[in-house]
Amino acid sequence: MVRKWAFRAVLGYLLLGLFLYVYLFILADSSLPDSFKGSSADPATFMNAREIMLSEEFSKIKNLLFFLSTPYEWLFYFLILILGVSRGFEKWARGTAKNQFIQTAVYLFWLSLASFIAIFPLQFISYKISRTYNISTQNFSMWMKDELTDFWVNYLIMFIIVSVLYGLMKKFKNRWWLAAWALSVPFTIFMMFIQPVVIDPLYNDFYPLKDKALEQKILTLADKAEIPADHVFEVDMSEKTNSLNAYVNGVGSNSRIVLWDTTLEQLTDKEILFVMAHEMAHYVEKHIYIGIAIYLVLSFFGLFLASKLMRGIVANYKDDIKVSSVSSLSSLPLFLLLTSMLMFAVSPFSNWISRYQETRADRYAIEMTEDKQAAITSFQKLSKVGLSQVNPPILVKIFRYGHPTMMERLIMLEQYEQEEKE
């Protein structure tokens, strides 16, 4: 039975990969509609033929890796369950110490290490592709350092979550999901609070913006948007990537306005001000808090469904998946598998909400800066530097895009100009 399940799971994954390849490289249409040819959304107006070709190639490969990575994670969790690897990790942990927290730490270390090793090939392929297409500028040692930092940061966060979660499972046999949901709210807010000042500096060095004239212009925008900020931070990302980015993150007094040095190098001051106005819009329109509210609703139902599914699966298939009870540590891959699948299933909805908020932010930025041309050229440069498709296939947009497509953003700007003229 185990061999049959493992064979079917691997075969299913390979067939899915074949379907995705055929869809992305043969069937999907990413060409620009004829009605938009010659407009600001037409790649031919801001890219040369080679850049257009590279953007199509790079986007197709990255999209394929995206769609392969999540099911690959599901396959990994499924196989270590049915092959008894997770049960072996739990026995190892119980044989190491009697203390429950130490047992959790040991079990989670081996599970995290196995996951890291299993997923590493896909991560490395993604890194090499980004290097080949000149998106990433990291050498291997620097990239590996970030990967190892990721491992330990995620391990520490997961240790806290798993220790609390499985403690609740033991204490509240049927209602653990509700207690876990209630505790997830302050934990999420706490993580958002410490992200800018504790976690982000582990990966990059942040320092005040050197261009004080530009900083003053940005702070003037921030003051107009009523964002409590005394400094604009610059981060040295050029040693890692050629991509462009800027953001406002954190909550309360820990809010930070951040610009990548690549953005400073490749965008004009007017374009930077538009990008920053867009990021400030998320703060002004309370998108962070709306996101938290949506997360609360989705996580409530997600944890409820996960608890019901775990109980049913363990009750009916505990011998097959080598899990004695829901509250045993060996059930963690099952929990991660189910929550990952539920998150993927709801991603079209969450991405739709995100795209709506991003459109609102675009409009806010135009109104604040009153510079539509800077908006258009900034989007064109973002697309060009990132080698992103202007009009990605529909499945890519639905499952991957938390932002409107570049075609949608640029056409919106042109239509906004027409509305203003009328």
Side-chain angles (χ1 to χ4, degrees):
M1 179 64 75
V2 170
R3 288 183 179 180
K4 185 184 292 185
W5 281 19
F7 175 77
R8 288 177 178 176
V10 173
L11 179 61
Y13 180 75
L14 293 175
L15 290 174
L16 174 65
L18 178 62
F19 165 77
L20 291 170
Y21 177 85
V22 171
Y23 171 74
L24 292 171
F25 285 83
I26 300 173
L27 300 179
D29 182 15
S30 60
S31 61
L32 195 73
D34 290 339
S35 57
F36 299 143
K37 293 288 178 64
S39 69
S40 62
D42 187 350
T45 64
F46 58 91
M47 292 188 195
N48 58 41
R50 175 172 171 75
E51 289 169 337
I52 293 173
M53 179 194 71
L54 290 175
S55 69
E56 285 295 316
E57 286 181 358
F58 178 72
S59 295
K60 287 176 181 178
I61 296 171
K62 293 293 284 187
N63 289 336
L64 179 62
L65 286 173
F66 169 81
F67 281 112
L68 287 177
S69 60
T70 301
Y72 183 78
E73 179 185 351
W74 301 342
L75 178 65
F76 167 76
Y77 290 138
F78 180 71
L79 290 178
I80 66 169
L81 279 169
I82 66 171
L83 295 176
V85 177
S86 182
R87 184 174 62 181
F89 288 161
E90 183 180 28
K91 286 182 178 179
W92 198 337
R94 292 189 185 283
T96 302
K98 293 182 178 180
N99 183 276
Q100 185 177 332
F101 288 104
I102 297 177
Q103 289 177 1
T104 301
V106 172
Y107 172 86
L108 189 60
F109 173 78
W110 291 115
L111 179 64
S112 299
L113 182 62
S115 177
F116 180 84
I117 293 170
I119 296 172
F120 184 83
L122 282 180
Q123 297 287 88
F124 181 71
I125 290 170
S126 180
Y127 159 71
K128 290 297 289 183
I129 289 168
S130 294
R131 284 279 295 179
T132 300
Y133 284 86
N134 202 34
I135 300 297
S136 172
T137 58
Q138 281 185 298
N139 57 39
F140 177 77
S141 61
M142 186 183 296
W143 175 77
M144 198 65 211
K145 178 185 175 183
D146 280 351
E147 290 293 301
L148 292 174
T149 302
D150 267 345
F151 175 86
W152 288 111
V153 169
N154 291 333
Y155 173 79
L156 179 60
I157 294 172
M158 281 297 294
F159 172 70
I160 296 170
I161 293 172
V162 172
S163 297
V164 173
L165 181 65
Y166 277 78
L168 294 174
M169 285 179 176
K170 287 180 172 64
K171 188 171 184 179
F172 307 103
K173 188 173 182 180
N174 297 322
R175 301 288 183 182
W176 61 264
W177 64 271
L178 187 59
W181 175 77
L183 290 175
S184 71
V185 180
F187 182 75
T188 301
I189 295 172
F190 172 73
M191 290 302 299
M192 291 174 64
F193 188 80
I194 68 168
Q195 176 85 30
V197 294
V198 176
I199 298 177
D200 288 349
L202 295 175
Y203 298 88
N204 301 292
D205 293 324
F206 293 78
Y207 41 86
L209 184 62
K210 299 186 186 74
D211 188 338
K212 295 304 176 183
L214 177 60
E215 181 182 46
Q216 189 54 52
K217 292 176 184 177
I218 295 172
L219 290 176
T220 300
L221 277 181
D223 184 62
K224 187 177 178 181
E226 298 182 354
I227 295 177
D230 299 321
H231 298 286
V232 177
F233 290 89
E234 180 179 341
V235 56
D236 182 11
M237 290 296 294
S238 56
E239 62 181 9
K240 295 184 177 182
T241 182
N242 285 317
S243 297
L244 312 180
N245 196 19
Y247 56 87
V248 178
N249 71 341
V251 291
S253 60
N254 275 19
S255 296
R256 273 191 173 187
I257 300 173
V258 180
L259 276 164
W260 287 9
D261 63 334
T262 51
T263 304
L264 293 166
E265 291 167 4
Q266 299 188 54
L267 297 188
T268 66
D269 282 7
K270 289 183 178 181
E271 291 165 345
I272 290 171
L273 290 175
F274 169 79
V275 171
M276 294 311 305
H278 168 97
E279 297 302 328
M280 291 174 189
H282 293 306
Y283 182 94
V284 172
E285 299 208 350
K286 307 291 191 295
H287 289 167
I288 292 175
Y289 302 105
I290 293 171
I292 292 174
I294 294 171
Y295 162 78
L296 290 178
V297 174
L298 293 179
S299 61
F300 178 87
F301 290 105
L303 285 169
F304 171 74
L305 286 173
S307 71
K308 293 294 184 184
L309 290 169
M310 283 185 74
R311 190 186 310 170
I313 292 170
V314 171
N316 293 292
Y317 302 101
K318 62 181 178 181
D319 292 333
D320 297 307
I321 63 174
K322 315 295 190 300
V323 173
S324 58
S325 68
V326 170
S327 61
S328 63
L329 280 172
S330 56
S331 73
L332 180 58
L334 177 61
F335 175 79
L336 295 174
L337 170 62
L338 292 172
T339 52
S340 178
M341 294 179 80
L342 290 170
M343 287 172 63
F344 186 79
V346 81
S347 63
F349 172 72
S350 58
N351 285 341
W352 178 79
I353 294 291
S354 178
R355 289 195 298 271
Y356 172 76
Q357 292 179 335
E358 294 295 336
T359 300
R360 295 271 304 176
D362 287 346
R363 286 186 170 272
Y364 177 93
I366 299 169
E367 292 165 3
M368 176 175 269
T369 60
E370 298 180 342
D371 193 341
K372 303 178 198 68
Q373 188 56 40
I376 290 172
T377 54
S378 64
F379 283 146
Q380 289 175 336
K381 288 181 181 180
L382 284 168
S383 183
K384 180 177 179 177
V385 172
L387 292 180
S388 57
Q389 289 173 311
V390 171
N391 185 30
I394 185 65
L395 285 182
V396 175
K397 174 185 172 181
I398 290 173
F399 284 99
R400 191 177 185 195
Y401 273 52
H403 289 72
T405 66
M406 281 300 176
M407 183 186 78
E408 292 170 336
R409 301 179 94 168
L410 289 165
I411 292 302
M412 184 275 288
L413 290 173
E414 288 201 348
Q415 291 174 346
Y416 187 89
E417 288 183 308
Q418 291 173 3
E419 291 170 8
E420 289 289 290
K421 290 174 183 177
E422 293 172 1

